[in-house]
Amino acid sequence: MTQLPTSTDRKMGLVIDLDTCVGCHACVISCKGWNTENYGAPLSDQDAYGADPSGTFLNRVHSYEVLPTESPAQLIHFPKSCLHCEDAPCVTVCPTGASYKRVEDGIVLVNESDCIGCGLCAWSCPYGAREMDMAEGVMKKCTLCVDRIYNENLPEVDRVPSCVRTCPAGARHFGDLGDPESDVSKLVAERDGMDLMPEMGTKPVNKYLPPRPKDQIEDQIDILAPLLAPVAEEPKGFLGWLDKTLEKL
Amino acid sequence: MHPAPSVIIFTTLSGLGFGLLFFLGLGMPEVTGWVAFVFFLIAYVLAVGGLLASTFHLGHPERAWKAFTQWRSSWLSREGWCAVIALVLMGLFAIGSVFMGERWSLLGWLGALFSLATVFTTSMIYTQLKTIPRWNMKLTPAMFLSFSLAGGALMAGQTSVALPLLLIAALVQILYWRQGDKALASSGTDLGTATGLGQRGSVRAFEPPHTGTNYLLREFVHVVGRKHAEKLRIISFLLAFALPVLFIAIPLEGIALKHLLALLAVVSHLAGVAASRWLFFAQAEHVVGLYYGSDKE
Ligand code: SF4
Ligand code: SF4
C-alpha cells in the first residue's frame, strides 16, 4: 500500500555518530554480505573483476572535508543508508504498492514481487538510499535487517542490523526513536542529533550525531609548559653588565 | 538526470498524440470517414507508441498492470488510468466518426478532457519531485500542457488556434528555462544541508564511497556543458516554435503547397520538442548529486 500510515507504533532506526566513525567501510561490507544472501534478491555486481566494476549497495560511506573559518580543516566520514523517513516520498510515488512503510515499526520496505522497476522511488529519495538492482530489475534498499532484528534463531546480541553489529568504532546505534526513554533517543537528545536535508520535509527517523567540537590550540593546558619556558628573558648580573656595555660602544 | 531515450520519446510523442486527440474530441476538425480514420490513426500511433516506449525502461514490464492499483497516492498510477480512459473514450468516439459518420459530442468532450488530464498527470510525475528543483515548479505542468496543446492544434490543422498556442508555449518555454536555471540555488539545499555540517564551515566532498560508478551516478548525475546546452536551447526553440509559426503564417495560394508547409511545421515542431525534452532531463539536477560533489561543476 503506498499510502503512508498516519503514525507507526514504533520508529525503529539508526543513530550514526559522525564523531566516532573512522571511515573503515566495515558496515558497507557486512551489509552487502548479509543482504546479498537473505531478504529478497541478491545484491548483484556487474563486471566485478573487470575494468568498470559497479554493484548494488544499501549502505555507502562518503568522506567530507569541513573547513571552519577559525580552526583547522576536519575530515568527516559519512555513512549513508535509508533513513526510514516518516514522510517517505519513495512510498507515495510508487504506482504498484511495492514500496510501503510498516505500521508496527516504521521500517520502509519493497515488496519485490510487486516492483516493476520503474525507478520513480529512487528519483524521489533525496538521500540516494535506493538502488535498482541491474540483474534483478527491482529496487533494493536498506531493510534495517528486518530478517535479523526479530530473528529468534540468532543469539540475542546479533539481533541488530548487520552494520551496527559490525562497526568496530561503535559509531552506529539501533533502537526505537519513537520512545523518548530509549537509549538512542537519549543519545540524540544529549548530542543534538540532526536530520539530513530537513527542508525536504521527509522527516527522517535515522539521526546523525554531529562531530564534537575539536580542542583549540590556544585553550590547551600544557603540563610541560613551565619546564620548557625560557628561564630568563633579560640577562642579569655580569652578562647583563656586558650586554649593556657592549651596546653602548 | 540521465536523458533516457525511452522517456524522451514517451513524453514527446504521447504529448503530441494526446494533444491531437484533444482537438479531435472537440470536433476540430469535424471529420468523418476516411479522413477521420487517418487523423485517429496518427493520434493513436503517437499516444500509444509513446506509452509503449515508456515501458522499455521498466525492470519488469510484465507486471506493468500493477501500476493501476495505487491511484490514490501515485501520479504515475493516475497517469495510467487517465491514459487508458482517454484511449477507450476516444476509441469509441473514433468508431462513431469513422464507421457511422456520427459525432457523439459528449463522448468527444469527455475524451478530450481525459486526454488533457493524461498530459497533466504525466507532468505531475516530474513536478512532484522535490529532489529535482528544476522540475518542482508550477511551470512544469504549464510547459507540458502548452506544448501538447500547441502541437495538437498544429497536427489537427487548426492554424488559427495553433498560432496563438505556439506563441504561448514559446513564452512558457522561455520562462521555464529562466526560472529553472535558478531553481537549485534558490531551493536552499546544498552540501551543507545534505550533510548537516554546513553550519561548521564550508563542506567539500573529499572522497566518494567507491572508486567506480554506481546506479545513482548513472541515473542522477548527468552533466551538460553550459555552452552546449545554450546552443541546443536555441536550436530547439527555433525548431519547435519559430519555424512552425513561420510556416503556417506565410500566406500562400495552392492547397498542395499549404499542406507541404503544414507537414514541415509539424516535423520541425516535433524535432524541437524532442530537443527541449532532452534538455528537460539532461539539465535537471538531482540533489543526491550534492553528496557526490556535483556542486563543483
Ligand atoms: S531515506 Fe529515501 S528510501 Fe529511505 S525512507 Fe527516506 S526517502 Fe525513502
Ligand atoms: S521501482 Fe518498484 S518500488 Fe520503486 S516506485 Fe517503481 S514499482 Fe515502486
Side-chain angles (χ1 to χ4, degrees):
Chain A
M1 208 44 185
T2 64
Q3 278 170 309
L4 285 164
T6 42
S7 68
T8 56
D9 300 342
R10 287 177 304 150
K11 297 179 190 171
M12 302 312 286
L14 299 175
V15 173
I16 293 168
D17 192 342
L18 298 178
D19 195 63
T20 320
C21 174
V22 294
C24 68
H25 293 240
C27 55
V28 177
I29 303 306
S30 81
C31 168
K32 177 114 174 177
W34 177 266
N35 285 296
T36 200
E37 52 191 29
N38 288 285
Y39 184 98
L43 304 173
S44 70
D45 292 313
Q46 280 69 43
D47 196 20
Y49 303 102
D52 189 20
S54 76
T56 314
F57 284 80
L58 311 182
N59 176 29
R60 295 185 186 260
V61 179
H62 297 249
S63 296
Y64 297 103
E65 179 197 64
V66 178
L67 203 61
T69 37
E70 298 295 316
S71 48
Q74 248 181 294
L75 181 59
I76 291 158
H77 303 294
F78 198 95
K80 191 160 55 59
S81 53
C82 171
L83 292 95
H84 296 279
C85 306
E86 279 180 61
D87 233 327
C90 56
V91 170
T92 51
V93 299
C94 177
T96 62
S99 275
Y100 62 106
K101 185 170 176 71
R102 308 211 311 180
V103 181
E104 61 269 37
D105 51 17
I107 298 179
V108 176
L109 289 176
V110 176
N111 174 353
E112 291 175 9
S113 56
D114 277 353
C115 174
I116 55 173
C118 66
L120 194 56
C121 53
W123 291 21
S124 77
C125 171
Y127 311 106
R130 289 176 169 244
E131 298 189 15
M132 181 94 74
D133 188 82
M134 289 297 131
E136 209 66 31
V138 294
M139 197 50 76
K140 301 296 295 184
K141 68 177 293 299
C142 160
T143 67
L144 215 59
C145 284
V146 72
D147 46 2
R148 287 175 69 102
I149 57 178
Y150 304 117
N151 191 338
E152 311 224 316
N153 297 319
L154 295 176
E156 205 173 333
V157 63
D158 286 332
R159 288 182 214 154
V160 291
S162 185
C163 55
V164 174
R165 185 76 180 98
T166 301
C167 178
R172 308 179 70 99
H173 308 272
F174 166 70
D176 180 5
L177 287 141
D179 169 11
E181 292 309 311
S182 69
D183 287 348
V184 280
S185 295
K186 285 186 198 151
L187 193 58
V188 169
E190 196 176 304
R191 294 273 310 279
D192 283 328
M194 58 186 185
D195 288 348
L196 305 185
M197 289 196 220
E199 71 277 10
M200 286 282 157
T202 50
K203 293 200 249 154
V205 168
N206 284 13
K207 302 284 182 231
Y208 282 76
L209 305 180
R212 294 184 176 91
K214 291 285 180 266
D215 289 345
Q216 301 294 314
I217 294 184
E218 295 75 53
D219 305 328
Q220 251 172 13
I221 303 165
D222 189 342
I223 48 162
L224 292 177
L227 301 174
L228 295 173
V231 182
E233 314 283 320
E234 288 267 310
K236 287 187 190 101
F238 173 71
L239 275 181
W241 170 83
L242 194 65
D243 206 38
K244 269 182 220 148
T245 321
L246 286 172
E247 208 143 290
K248 273 182 201 147
L249 287 178
Chain B
M1 300 293 290
H2 169 61
S6 59
V7 280
I8 295 170
I9 294 172
F10 156 56
T11 58
T12 308
L13 296 190
S14 287
L16 271 182
F18 283 109
L20 177 54
L21 283 177
F22 172 79
F23 284 101
L24 291 175
L26 292 187
M28 301 165 71
E30 266 193 44
V31 279
T32 48
W34 275 109
V35 186
F37 179 77
V38 173
F39 267 115
F40 279 107
L41 184 71
I42 295 173
Y44 270 81
V45 165
L46 290 172
V48 178
L51 288 171
L52 283 179
S54 77
T55 62
F56 291 159
H57 81 280
L58 296 182
H60 282 276
E62 78 283 4
R63 299 178 191 151
W65 62 270
K66 292 194 181 191
F68 288 107
T69 59
Q70 304 302 315
W71 52 273
R72 277 189 227 82
S73 59
S74 166
W75 281 106
L76 183 48
S77 188
R78 289 173 197 159
E79 181 207 37
W81 275 108
C82 284
V84 167
I85 295 174
L87 290 175
V88 168
L89 290 177
M90 289 306 292
L92 294 174
F93 180 72
I95 290 174
S97 318
V98 175
F99 299 107
M100 304 186 200
E102 299 251 9
R103 275 207 59 237
W104 298 324
S105 36
L106 181 64
L107 203 58
W109 288 334
L110 280 175
L113 190 71
F114 274 96
S115 299
L116 220 50
T118 309
V119 177
F120 175 70
T121 47
T122 305
S123 72
M124 285 309 290
I125 297 171
Y126 305 108
T127 309
Q128 68 178 335
L129 298 170
K130 276 196 199 150
T131 48
I132 303 163
R134 200 186 275 275
W135 292 352
N136 190 224
M137 314 192 293
K138 290 206 177 69
L139 279 169
T140 306
M143 183 170 76
F144 274 72
L145 286 169
S146 64
F147 278 36
S148 170
L149 287 174
L154 201 58
M155 305 233 332
Q158 304 297 302
T159 316
S160 54
V161 193
L163 214 51
L165 284 176
L166 278 170
L167 294 175
I168 292 173
L171 183 69
V172 173
Q173 173 72 93
I174 290 173
L175 293 176
Y176 176 83
W177 280 334
R178 275 192 43 186
Q179 196 178 329
D181 286 344
K182 293 180 238 145
L184 179 62
S186 56
S187 72
T189 297
D190 55 23
L191 189 51
T193 66
T195 57
L197 299 169
Q199 275 140 16
R200 310 169 154 257
S202 65
V203 188
R204 189 172 70 99
F206 184 77
E207 214 176 26
H210 36 76
T211 49
T213 184
N214 66 17
Y215 168 74
L216 301 170
L217 289 167
R218 285 192 299 265
E219 187 79 358
F220 300 125
V221 186
H222 186 90
V223 183
V224 212
R226 185 175 307 231
K227 279 222 187 89
H228 191 94
E230 286 297 326
K231 270 188 219 148
L232 203 55
R233 278 186 182 181
I234 294 171
I235 294 172
S236 129
F237 194 82
L238 289 177
L239 286 174
F241 308 114
L243 285 180
V245 166
L246 200 70
F247 287 151
I248 60 175
I250 303 175
L252 271 180
E253 294 301 315
I255 196 88
L257 208 54
K258 269 195 173 161
H259 272 108
L260 179 71
L261 278 186
L263 182 69
L264 280 179
V266 168
V267 171
S268 166
H269 178 75
L270 181 68
V273 172
S276 161
R277 280 295 139 78
W278 187 88
L279 285 166
F280 177 76
F281 288 97
Q283 288 203 296
E285 310 93 337
H286 193 292
V287 294
V288 81
L290 295 168
Y291 285 109
Y292 288 87
S294 68
D295 50 346
K296 289 290 143 348
E297 254 60 65

